[in-house]
Amino acid sequence: METFLSWICYQIECLHHGIILIGVVSVLTSLLFLYNSSFTDTPEDQMQSDIQQMDVLQQQTSHLEGYNSIIDHKPLRMRCKSCALVTSSGHMTGSGRGVEIDRKECVIRMNDAPTRGYQKDVGQRTTLRVVAHSSVQRVLRNRHELLNSSQNTFFIFWGPGNHMRQDGKGLVYNNLRLLKQMMPKLQVYVISGLKMLHFDELFKKETGKDRKKSNSWLSTGWFTMAIAMEICDRINVYGMIPPDFCNSPSPEPSVPYHYYEPAGLDECKMYLSHERGRHGSHHRFITEKRVFANWARMFNIHFYQPDWRPAPVTKNSTDS
């Protein structure tokens, strides 16, 4: 087993060092946000349409389209009344939120974020872990914690088409199949290509920007929030800052981008450099958080550590 998993690590490391990802579709989608209204809709019409579609989708609890198991391609079946979506932010350090997080019916984490040694602040349960193709190698390296003890955890992996293709040429997809064969109780799901395309449209709908033309790569945080909205009736998000946090004239003390890498990159510096980047591909962390704040005005989403709520939308003074 150890030799096999080490071989997978080697294969994926070769992938990261040998392939340059240019112009590939790398974003996922959610049927939850298939908007039928045009850009000429009023904000009130758009919000009502969103709420109606959410109500319809919440009734469809049998399975979730677009998330398919790695071997038999069965759709994901998952529903939670309350979820804790735990980010990897340094804001979680010293939070003491662990017990509160573990009380939620479902706990959602991202990539290779560990719990061992951080239970007091981030909890120890994991119901769902959303993993980017670029983080698979790190997950395998931490397999003793993240995989060996995670047979009750659902894993959803996402990645661009050339990594996840199912014709024998998708290296990440192939390695995930081998991993599932070696650990048959592991719950491994992947995002379908169609679902990925729908999430590109979601980003464009919410921001007015074409993801590829704006040199943007959606973050795992974006994917995780959108997936959580399909799964959870209520979402408590831990460690996510508001969209204007890093531009505050009196910013809070800096924190590391990851709570488990205290000497790592500064979170706000990371966010601002990506948001302002125009050459090469970048995440649009702050743009994404503006979308999350807007979703929280319509849906049952709440932010903690730091605790904040989105400001109400101000109406134009000419409105009646």
Side-chain angles (χ1 to χ4, degrees), residues 232-250:
C232 312
D233 294 336
R234 177 189 172 102
I235 307 170
N236 285 5
V237 184
Y238 293 89
M240 184 177 291
I241 60 173
D244 58 351
F245 184 92
C246 294
N247 290 316
S248 171
S250 300

PDB file of all heavy atoms in Angstrom, residues 232-250:
ATOM      1  N   CYS A 232     -26.418  21.930   1.878  1.00  0.00           N
ATOM      2  CA  CYS A 232     -26.749  22.385   3.233  1.00  0.00           C
ATOM      3  C   CYS A 232     -27.941  23.327   3.257  1.00  0.00           C
ATOM      4  O   CYS A 232     -28.069  24.211   2.406  1.00  0.00           O
ATOM      5  CB  CYS A 232     -25.555  23.119   3.842  1.00  0.00           C
ATOM      6  SG  CYS A 232     -23.974  22.254   3.693  1.00  0.00           S
ATOM      7  N   ASP A 233     -28.797  23.177   4.271  1.00  0.00           N
ATOM      8  CA  ASP A 233     -29.878  24.120   4.500  1.00  0.00           C
ATOM      9  C   ASP A 233     -29.363  25.406   5.157  1.00  0.00           C
ATOM     10  O   ASP A 233     -29.865  26.489   4.882  1.00  0.00           O
ATOM     11  CB  ASP A 233     -30.958  23.501   5.395  1.00  0.00           C
ATOM     12  CG  ASP A 233     -31.663  22.334   4.715  1.00  0.00           C
ATOM     13  OD1 ASP A 233     -31.667  22.290   3.467  1.00  0.00           O
ATOM     14  OD2 ASP A 233     -32.188  21.461   5.417  1.00  0.00           O
ATOM     15  N   ARG A 234     -28.385  25.268   6.040  1.00  0.00           N
ATOM     16  CA  ARG A 234     -27.742  26.409   6.677  1.00  0.00           C
ATOM     17  C   ARG A 234     -26.235  26.202   6.611  1.00  0.00           C
ATOM     18  O   ARG A 234     -25.747  25.106   6.880  1.00  0.00           O
ATOM     19  CB  ARG A 234     -28.177  26.575   8.136  1.00  0.00           C
ATOM     20  CG  ARG A 234     -27.461  27.717   8.873  1.00  0.00           C
ATOM     21  CD  ARG A 234     -27.747  27.727  10.365  1.00  0.00           C
ATOM     22  NE  ARG A 234     -26.900  28.711  11.048  1.00  0.00           N
ATOM     23  CZ  ARG A 234     -27.310  29.910  11.454  1.00  0.00           C
ATOM     24  NH1 ARG A 234     -28.567  30.283  11.269  1.00  0.00           N
ATOM     25  NH2 ARG A 234     -26.469  30.739  12.065  1.00  0.00           N
ATOM     26  N   ILE A 235     -25.502  27.273   6.266  1.00  0.00           N
ATOM     27  CA  ILE A 235     -24.049  27.203   6.163  1.00  0.00           C
ATOM     28  C   ILE A 235     -23.437  28.220   7.117  1.00  0.00           C
ATOM     29  O   ILE A 235     -23.707  29.424   7.006  1.00  0.00           O
ATOM     30  CB  ILE A 235     -23.567  27.500   4.728  1.00  0.00           C
ATOM     31  CG1 ILE A 235     -24.273  26.605   3.712  1.00  0.00           C
ATOM     32  CG2 ILE A 235     -22.055  27.332   4.641  1.00  0.00           C
ATOM     33  CD1 ILE A 235     -24.027  27.001   2.271  1.00  0.00           C
ATOM     34  N   ASN A 236     -22.640  27.744   8.061  1.00  0.00           N
ATOM     35  CA  ASN A 236     -21.828  28.605   8.912  1.00  0.00           C
ATOM     36  C   ASN A 236     -20.398  28.555   8.385  1.00  0.00           C
ATOM     37  O   ASN A 236     -19.761  27.497   8.425  1.00  0.00           O
ATOM     38  CB  ASN A 236     -21.866  28.139  10.367  1.00  0.00           C
ATOM     39  CG  ASN A 236     -23.183  28.472  11.051  1.00  0.00           C
ATOM     40  OD1 ASN A 236     -24.113  28.975  10.420  1.00  0.00           O
ATOM     41  ND2 ASN A 236     -23.279  28.191  12.331  1.00  0.00           N
ATOM     42  N   VAL A 237     -19.921  29.677   7.885  1.00  0.00           N
ATOM     43  CA  VAL A 237     -18.589  29.749   7.290  1.00  0.00           C
ATOM     44  C   VAL A 237     -17.617  30.290   8.336  1.00  0.00           C
ATOM     45  O   VAL A 237     -17.849  31.355   8.907  1.00  0.00           O
ATOM     46  CB  VAL A 237     -18.583  30.659   6.049  1.00  0.00           C
ATOM     47  CG1 VAL A 237     -17.214  30.641   5.386  1.00  0.00           C
ATOM     48  CG2 VAL A 237     -19.662  30.221   5.057  1.00  0.00           C
ATOM     49  N   TYR A 238     -16.524  29.571   8.555  1.00  0.00           N
ATOM     50  CA  TYR A 238     -15.547  29.959   9.567  1.00  0.00           C
ATOM     51  C   TYR A 238     -14.228  30.364   8.916  1.00  0.00           C
ATOM     52  O   TYR A 238     -13.665  29.613   8.118  1.00  0.00           O
ATOM     53  CB  TYR A 238     -15.301  28.807  10.540  1.00  0.00           C
ATOM     54  CG  TYR A 238     -16.497  28.480  11.391  1.00  0.00           C
ATOM     55  CD1 TYR A 238     -17.457  27.569  10.958  1.00  0.00           C
ATOM     56  CD2 TYR A 238     -16.682  29.091  12.626  1.00  0.00           C
ATOM     57  CE1 TYR A 238     -18.569  27.267  11.736  1.00  0.00           C
ATOM     58  CE2 TYR A 238     -17.789  28.804  13.414  1.00  0.00           C
ATOM     59  CZ  TYR A 238     -18.723  27.895  12.964  1.00  0.00           C
ATOM     60  OH  TYR A 238     -19.824  27.606  13.734  1.00  0.00           O
ATOM     61  N   GLY A 239     -13.761  31.572   9.259  1.00  0.00           N
ATOM     62  CA  GLY A 239     -12.449  32.018   8.815  1.00  0.00           C
ATOM     63  C   GLY A 239     -12.440  32.831   7.540  1.00  0.00           C
ATOM     64  O   GLY A 239     -11.360  33.177   7.054  1.00  0.00           O
ATOM     65  N   MET A 240     -13.594  33.180   6.994  1.00  0.00           N
ATOM     66  CA  MET A 240     -13.632  33.931   5.742  1.00  0.00           C
ATOM     67  C   MET A 240     -13.832  35.421   6.023  1.00  0.00           C
ATOM     68  O   MET A 240     -14.778  35.808   6.701  1.00  0.00           O
ATOM     69  CB  MET A 240     -14.751  33.419   4.828  1.00  0.00           C
ATOM     70  CG  MET A 240     -14.780  34.112   3.467  1.00  0.00           C
ATOM     71  SD  MET A 240     -16.056  33.422   2.363  1.00  0.00           S
ATOM     72  CE  MET A 240     -15.357  31.788   2.041  1.00  0.00           C
ATOM     73  N   ILE A 241     -12.959  36.245   5.489  1.00  0.00           N
ATOM     74  CA  ILE A 241     -13.053  37.685   5.701  1.00  0.00           C
ATOM     75  C   ILE A 241     -14.057  38.310   4.748  1.00  0.00           C
ATOM     76  O   ILE A 241     -14.351  37.759   3.688  1.00  0.00           O
ATOM     77  CB  ILE A 241     -11.678  38.353   5.517  1.00  0.00           C
ATOM     78  CG1 ILE A 241     -11.151  38.099   4.096  1.00  0.00           C
ATOM     79  CG2 ILE A 241     -10.696  37.855   6.568  1.00  0.00           C
ATOM     80  CD1 ILE A 241      -9.872  38.853   3.776  1.00  0.00           C
ATOM     81  N   PRO A 242     -14.617  39.485   5.096  1.00  0.00           N
ATOM     82  CA  PRO A 242     -15.503  40.188   4.169  1.00  0.00           C
ATOM     83  C   PRO A 242     -14.712  40.747   2.994  1.00  0.00           C
ATOM     84  O   PRO A 242     -13.482  40.891   3.063  1.00  0.00           O
ATOM     85  CB  PRO A 242     -16.101  41.307   5.035  1.00  0.00           C
ATOM     86  CG  PRO A 242     -15.135  41.498   6.148  1.00  0.00           C
ATOM     87  CD  PRO A 242     -14.503  40.157   6.395  1.00  0.00           C
ATOM     88  N   PRO A 243     -15.382  41.080   1.895  1.00  0.00           N
ATOM     89  CA  PRO A 243     -14.669  41.471   0.675  1.00  0.00           C
ATOM     90  C   PRO A 243     -13.837  42.735   0.794  1.00  0.00           C
ATOM     91  O   PRO A 243     -12.856  42.901   0.063  1.00  0.00           O
ATOM     92  CB  PRO A 243     -15.794  41.636  -0.361  1.00  0.00           C
ATOM     93  CG  PRO A 243     -17.053  41.722   0.420  1.00  0.00           C
ATOM     94  CD  PRO A 243     -16.833  40.948   1.672  1.00  0.00           C
ATOM     95  N   ASP A 244     -14.180  43.655   1.693  1.00  0.00           N
ATOM     96  CA  ASP A 244     -13.426  44.904   1.815  1.00  0.00           C
ATOM     97  C   ASP A 244     -12.378  44.859   2.923  1.00  0.00           C
ATOM     98  O   ASP A 244     -11.743  45.858   3.226  1.00  0.00           O
ATOM     99  CB  ASP A 244     -14.384  46.073   2.056  1.00  0.00           C
ATOM    100  CG  ASP A 244     -15.245  45.883   3.304  1.00  0.00           C
ATOM    101  OD1 ASP A 244     -15.224  44.769   3.877  1.00  0.00           O
ATOM    102  OD2 ASP A 244     -15.946  46.833   3.695  1.00  0.00           O
ATOM    103  N   PHE A 245     -12.186  43.706   3.526  1.00  0.00           N
ATOM    104  CA  PHE A 245     -11.315  43.579   4.702  1.00  0.00           C
ATOM    105  C   PHE A 245      -9.888  44.044   4.418  1.00  0.00           C
ATOM    106  O   PHE A 245      -9.300  44.804   5.188  1.00  0.00           O
ATOM    107  CB  PHE A 245     -11.308  42.121   5.167  1.00  0.00           C
ATOM    108  CG  PHE A 245     -10.522  41.857   6.413  1.00  0.00           C
ATOM    109  CD1 PHE A 245     -11.125  41.900   7.653  1.00  0.00           C
ATOM    110  CD2 PHE A 245      -9.162  41.538   6.346  1.00  0.00           C
ATOM    111  CE1 PHE A 245     -10.408  41.635   8.817  1.00  0.00           C
ATOM    112  CE2 PHE A 245      -8.441  41.279   7.500  1.00  0.00           C
ATOM    113  CZ  PHE A 245      -9.065  41.334   8.733  1.00  0.00           C
ATOM    114  N   CYS A 246      -9.315  43.603   3.310  1.00  0.00           N
ATOM    115  CA  CYS A 246      -7.911  43.887   3.022  1.00  0.00           C
ATOM    116  C   CYS A 246      -7.689  45.304   2.514  1.00  0.00           C
ATOM    117  O   CYS A 246      -6.538  45.756   2.419  1.00  0.00           O
ATOM    118  CB  CYS A 246      -7.376  42.880   2.006  1.00  0.00           C
ATOM    119  SG  CYS A 246      -7.297  41.178   2.640  1.00  0.00           S
ATOM    120  N   ASN A 247      -8.750  46.012   2.162  1.00  0.00           N
ATOM    121  CA  ASN A 247      -8.636  47.390   1.704  1.00  0.00           C
ATOM    122  C   ASN A 247      -9.003  48.392   2.786  1.00  0.00           C
ATOM    123  O   ASN A 247      -9.105  49.590   2.521  1.00  0.00           O
ATOM    124  CB  ASN A 247      -9.531  47.620   0.479  1.00  0.00           C
ATOM    125  CG  ASN A 247      -9.003  46.892  -0.743  1.00  0.00           C
ATOM    126  OD1 ASN A 247      -7.812  46.914  -1.019  1.00  0.00           O
ATOM    127  ND2 ASN A 247      -9.897  46.245  -1.477  1.00  0.00           N
ATOM    128  N   SER A 248      -9.202  47.914   4.001  1.00  0.00           N
ATOM    129  CA  SER A 248      -9.577  48.795   5.102  1.00  0.00           C
ATOM    130  C   SER A 248      -8.453  49.783   5.394  1.00  0.00           C
ATOM    131  O   SER A 248      -7.275  49.418   5.369  1.00  0.00           O
ATOM    132  CB  SER A 248      -9.879  47.965   6.356  1.00  0.00           C
ATOM    133  OG  SER A 248     -10.040  48.800   7.473  1.00  0.00           O
ATOM    134  N   PRO A 249      -8.780  51.070   5.667  1.00  0.00           N
ATOM    135  CA  PRO A 249      -7.731  52.045   6.002  1.00  0.00           C
ATOM    136  C   PRO A 249      -6.996  51.701   7.289  1.00  0.00           C
ATOM    137  O   PRO A 249      -5.868  52.120   7.493  1.00  0.00           O
ATOM    138  CB  PRO A 249      -8.511  53.359   6.143  1.00  0.00           C
ATOM    139  CG  PRO A 249      -9.920  52.955   6.396  1.00  0.00           C
ATOM    140  CD  PRO A 249     -10.116  51.673   5.650  1.00  0.00           C
ATOM    141  N   SER A 250      -7.639  50.954   8.166  1.00  0.00           N
ATOM    142  CA  SER A 250      -7.003  50.497   9.411  1.00  0.00           C
ATOM    143  C   SER A 250      -7.103  48.979   9.468  1.00  0.00           C
ATOM    144  O   SER A 250      -7.919  48.416  10.204  1.00  0.00           O
ATOM    145  CB  SER A 250      -7.690  51.126  10.626  1.00  0.00           C
ATOM    146  OG  SER A 250      -7.612  52.529  10.574  1.00  0.00           O
TER     147      SER A 250
END
